[in-house]
Amino acid sequence: FRGSSRAGAFGDVIQEIDASAGEVLRALDELRLAENTLVVFTSDNGPWLSYGNHAGSAGPLREGKGTVWEGGVRVPFLARWPGRIPPGTVCREPAMTIDLLPTVSRLVGAELPPRRIDGRDIGPLLRGEPGARSPHDALYFYYGTNELQAMRSGGWKLVLPHTYRTMRDQPPGRDGTPGRYRQVRLDAPELYDLAADVGETRNVFAAHPDVVRRLMGHVE
């Protein structure tokens, strides 16, 4: 795939990934295994914005990899299972990759290990069952091992005080050479309604004290 795109090595790699995924799907169809196979296609978290034209894009989402803004944690997730997942189904309930292990375990009838894990079965979401909701009351976003920087409950997201990196107003990287991030300090908690503002542009902390109290209860 070298030289197959007009976007350098980055574009070539994306075309190779696309073609490779197609080979897998074609093989399942040819071997008549598609209806007995759940295929999941997802990605690592967020584009590495410091790499500029080799970074990809977060679209309307705020920031990118290495942050707890939506551009750093929300990723594409596609699933195919003919006869089990209705074509064209769109799910807007929050879920995490931690949910894949318990979901697949339930589907194949395997027991989970006795050690407690954080994931939950999201089979009803995958199958597009009417009224299916996220099995999580809250989802938590840590950086490193011990700093809780944000949490989400339903469509609400509470971002806690912390320092994060940004490429805003910074020279972007080019052709595989990264630019330098700038560090930004968030000094007070902020609240976002992701259903109305996926780009996290409007802090509605002051307008929803009841929501803040409920989310802070999860945080504590």
Side-chain angles (χ1 to χ4, degrees):
F1 288 85
R2 186 186 303 273
S4 63
S5 76
R6 296 182 179 180
F10 179 83
D12 296 347
V13 167
I14 297 302
Q15 294 206 145
E16 183 171 6
I17 292 172
D18 181 63
S20 298
E23 286 293 318
V24 172
L25 297 182
R26 273 192 296 274
L28 291 173
D29 290 337
E30 291 170 0
L31 297 172
R32 299 182 180 180
L33 295 173
E35 292 188 359
N36 198 37
T37 306
L38 169 64
V39 176
V40 170
F41 187 97
T42 186
S43 77
D44 190 8
N45 54 304
W48 213 325
L49 297 179
S50 62
Y51 279 86
N53 64 330
H54 281 197
S57 170
L61 307 180
R62 183 171 174 177
E63 300 298 345
K65 184 183 291 293
T67 77
V68 295
W69 301 104
E70 288 300 280
V73 298
R74 185 186 291 229
V75 300
F77 183 99
L78 304 173
R80 187 190 84 157
W81 195 357
R84 304 290 186 94
I85 299 177
T89 299
V90 176
C91 177
R92 303 194 184 282
E93 289 290 305
M96 282 191 172
T97 49
I98 56 173
D99 298 322
L100 288 177
L101 172 60
T103 301
V104 172
S105 295
R106 175 69 63 85
L107 290 174
V108 302
E111 291 188 11
L112 287 170
R115 182 184 300 275
R116 181 181 175 184
I117 64 173
D118 295 323
R120 299 284 184 269
D121 175 22
I122 57 170
L125 300 182
L126 275 179
R127 292 187 292 271
E129 295 180 5
R133 302 296 300 271
S134 170
H136 297 278
D137 290 330
L139 294 167
Y140 301 92
F141 301 94
Y142 285 84
Y143 189 85
T145 58
N146 59 2
E147 185 183 21
L148 179 61
Q149 295 187 347
M151 63 83 58
R152 176 174 176 176
S153 181
W156 296 103
K157 184 173 176 183
L158 183 67
V159 184
L160 303 171
H162 69 280
T163 298
Y164 66 94
R165 65 190 190 182
T166 185
M167 286 302 295
R168 288 186 181 182
D169 304 320
Q170 302 296 109
R174 182 126 191 116
D175 299 335
T177 300
R180 299 189 67 177
Y181 285 104
R182 175 171 56 89
Q183 299 298 312
V184 178
R185 176 67 189 173
L186 188 69
D187 291 319
E190 297 183 355
L191 179 70
Y192 294 92
D193 178 0
L194 296 180
D197 177 27
V198 72
E200 295 170 296
T201 62
R202 299 184 298 276
N203 175 18
V204 295
F205 186 93
H208 298 279
D210 54 334
V211 174
V212 171
R213 280 194 295 270
R214 178 170 64 84
L215 300 191
M216 285 303 298
H218 285 296
V219 168
E220 295 302 332

